[in-house]
Amino acid sequence: EAQLVQPSVEVKKPGESLRISCRESGYGLSPFWFGWVRQVPGRGLEWMALMSADSSDSRYSPSFPGRVTMSVDVSTRTAYLQWSSLETSDTAVYFCARRPSVTGSPFGAWGQGTLVSVSS
Amino acid sequence: QSALTQPRSVSGSPGQSVTIPCTGTSRDVGTYKFVSWYQQHPGKAPKLIIYDVNTRPSGVSDRFSGSKSGNTASLTISGLQAEDEADYYCCSYAGTQTPYVFGTGTTVTV
């Protein structure tokens, strides 16, 4: 079964670091890109970052300057989103998504989301 | 890059049609054909229902249709059903450095 697997919940304190994962499987060998989308509770979707599955190219939303770092482990087809110092405002659900490598392609597949809760 | 503008909510009776506008600018919706729409039920991941303005992925009901005129894209849901109650988000390509700009989201009530 084709899927993007994410952990369900991560609970952290302000100032702590965090790396969340998204493992892709079952979609075949065609080139693709991973993306991350944030959803603050009760709010809308916000695109954060995009990286090719071979990790050769990436894009970051100007709305999150320097706040997060995206990476991809090519051998395990796993994407990561990392924070060095969390803030309470980072509390949100983070969805990973997958899109073909063609420019303008939509996110055709989504993970179930990781709820990141940051509280003292 | 600002979010695309959608009405906060729309409603309709079963069997009716509703249309959700998504207003952008000449830097996104007005220039590119890469407009997509996502449906999100509470507590669930978004699901792609329209891409390239008016193309439905395999398995998506033909009650969903998309269009674009100038800087505004639209999603129409025909023959409303209870299962269509959800949040809907438009999304547009806005160039190589900003490949995705989402709309503010619209809650559809049936």
Side-chain angles (χ1 to χ4, degrees):
Chain A
E1 178 188 359
Q3 55 185 346
L4 297 170
V5 179
Q6 302 180 238
S8 297
V9 180
E10 296 281 355
V11 180
K12 290 289 186 179
K13 291 179 165 47
E16 292 185 333
S17 63
L18 173 66
R19 188 178 76 164
I20 60 174
S21 64
C22 170
R23 180 172 55 83
E24 186 261 18
S25 65
Y27 287 98
L29 300 177
S30 297
F32 70 97
W33 289 55
F34 283 104
W36 287 99
V37 175
R38 184 177 82 167
Q39 187 168 38
V40 173
R43 305 289 293 275
L45 304 174
E46 301 171 274
W47 169 69
M48 300 181 72
L50 193 67
M51 183 170 282
S52 59
D54 65 3
S55 75
S56 65
D57 198 1
S58 64
R59 304 280 187 274
Y60 287 89
S61 168
S63 299
F64 301 90
R67 291 287 299 125
V68 293
T69 301
M70 182 175 181
S71 60
V72 170
D73 182 328
V74 178
S75 64
T76 62
R77 299 166 74 95
T78 301
Y80 298 96
L81 190 67
Q82 182 172 320
W83 293 260
S84 60
S85 181
L86 286 162
E87 301 174 358
T88 56
S89 58
D90 293 317
T91 294
V93 175
Y94 293 87
F95 292 102
C96 77
R98 182 188 188 280
R99 53 149 265 201
S101 62
V102 176
T103 297
S105 295
F107 289 124
W110 294 69
Q112 287 307 299
T114 298
L115 171 61
V116 173
S117 177
V118 185
S119 173
S120 55
Chain B
Q1 186 73 43
S2 300
L4 309 177
T5 301
Q6 299 179 232
R8 184 174 294 271
S9 64
V10 298
S11 62
S13 301
Q16 288 186 332
S17 295
V18 295
T19 295
I20 303 170
C22 165
T23 302
T25 70
S26 59
R27 297 186 301 275
D28 38 64
V29 175
T31 294
Y32 301 102
K33 69 168 187 173
F34 305 123
V35 177
S36 52
W37 289 88
Y38 298 86
Q39 176 192 61
Q40 187 182 32
H41 288 105
K44 300 295 186 180
K47 173 188 175 184
L48 177 67
I49 57 172
I50 293 285
Y51 66 96
D52 291 353
V53 176
N54 57 13
T55 302
R56 284 186 307 277
S58 175
V60 173
S61 171
D62 60 4
R63 297 185 299 102
F64 295 96
S65 61
S67 63
K68 190 183 83 161
S69 177
N71 295 338
T72 299
S74 298
L75 174 73
T76 297
I77 310 173
S78 305
L80 269 177
Q81 300 180 1
E83 67 205 49
D84 300 331
E85 273 207 352
D87 292 328
Y88 292 83
Y89 294 91
C90 61
C91 183
S92 175
Y93 181 80
T96 305
Q97 295 306 313
T98 311
Y100 298 97
V101 179
F102 282 98
T104 50
T106 299
T107 299
V108 171
T109 302
V110 181

